[in-house]
Every structure is written in structure tokens, then in C-alpha cells.
């Protein structure tokens, strides 16, 4: 089923990847898994979900914790963009 997308075309394009990463999105995948192990990814995503759906307080109370969540989000966003490009190209 195709979703209804009313956003401008540029919303459906990678925004966080630099020129080198646009040419070789596997760099993002390599970098992501250098920063995080699969178990850490699952654990962090689960904690986000639990906090978001079951808590009335913020995800993190301390600045360093918030910074770590923002850093993880940025890496995850770039990973999704790289995966999108890999999925779109048959030569990778």
C-alpha cells in the first residue's frame, strides 16, 4: 500500500548525508556499526519506546544523557538515509 505524501519532493531525499556519503552510503553503515553494536541499538530503541509511550517525564534528565540520545538519533537518521540509497540502487 502506498502512503499519501503531501510533502515537497526534497522531503523524500537524503538530507544528512554529505557528498562522499551520497556517493558511497556504505560508509554510513560501517560508521554506525563502529559506534553501536546491534544489541546496543535494540536496547536503546526499546528504552526510547518505553519512555515515550509509558512516561510523562522526559526521556533523560541529565544533559549528557540527552546529548547521547541526540547523537544516536543523528546516526540512526543517517543510517536510514544510506539504507534508502542502497535500496534504490542495484549497483551497490
Amino acid at each position: 500500500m502506498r502512503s499519501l505524501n503531501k510533502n515537497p519532493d526534497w522531503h523524500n531525499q537524503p538530507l544528512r548525508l554529505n557528498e562522499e556519503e551520497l556517493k558511497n552510503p556504505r560508509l554510513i553503515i560501517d560508521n554506525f556499526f563502529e559506534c553501536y553494536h546491534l544489541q546496543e541499538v535494540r536496547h536503546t530503541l526499546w528504552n526510547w519506546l518505553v519512555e515515550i509511550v509509558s512516561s510523562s517525564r522526559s526521556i533523560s534528565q541529565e544533559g549528557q544523557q540527552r546529548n547521547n540520545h541526540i547523537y544516536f538519533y543523528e546516526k540512526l537518521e543517517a543510517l536510514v538515509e544510506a539504507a534508502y540509497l542502497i535500496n534504490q540502487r542495484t549497483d551497490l
Side-chain angles (χ1 to χ4, degrees), residues 78-91:
L79 175 66
V80 169
E81 290 177 353
Y84 172 83
L85 290 176
I86 290 168
N87 191 46
Q88 296 299 309
R89 297 178 184 169
T90 58
D91 60 336

Side-chain angles (χ1 to χ4, degrees), residues 12-13 33-34 39-40 43 59 63 69 80-81 84 88:
N12 201 33
Q13 298 297 319
F33 288 107
E34 285 175 7
Q39 183 179 0
E40 287 177 285
H43 182 77
I59 291 174
H69 283 290
V80 169
E81 290 177 353
Y84 172 83
Q88 296 299 309

Side-chain angles (χ1 to χ4, degrees), residues 13-91:
Q13 298 297 319
L15 302 174
R16 189 169 296 279
L17 302 182
N18 65 36
E19 234 178 278
E20 183 182 8
E21 294 163 343
L22 285 168
K23 291 176 185 174
N24 185 5
R26 290 187 192 272
L27 294 172
I28 292 295
I29 294 169
D30 291 343
N31 180 263
F32 182 85
F33 288 107
E34 285 175 7
C35 294
Y36 299 99
H37 296 284
L38 185 56
Q39 183 179 0
E40 287 177 285
V41 175
R42 288 184 182 124
H43 182 77
T44 300
L45 289 174
W46 178 253
N47 285 341
W48 279 11
L49 178 63
V50 168
E51 287 291 331
I52 290 167
V53 299
S54 67
S55 177
S56 61
R57 55 188 163 72
S58 68
I59 291 174
S60 299
Q61 298 298 319
E62 296 178 17
Q64 184 61 45
Q65 290 174 323
R66 289 191 296 274
N67 288 341
N68 289 342
H69 283 290
I70 291 167
Y71 183 76
F72 182 79
Y73 174 82
E74 291 170 346
K75 292 295 185 184
L76 184 59
E77 183 180 34
L79 175 66
V80 169
E81 290 177 353
Y84 172 83
L85 290 176
I86 290 168
N87 191 46
Q88 296 299 309
R89 297 178 184 169
T90 58
D91 60 336

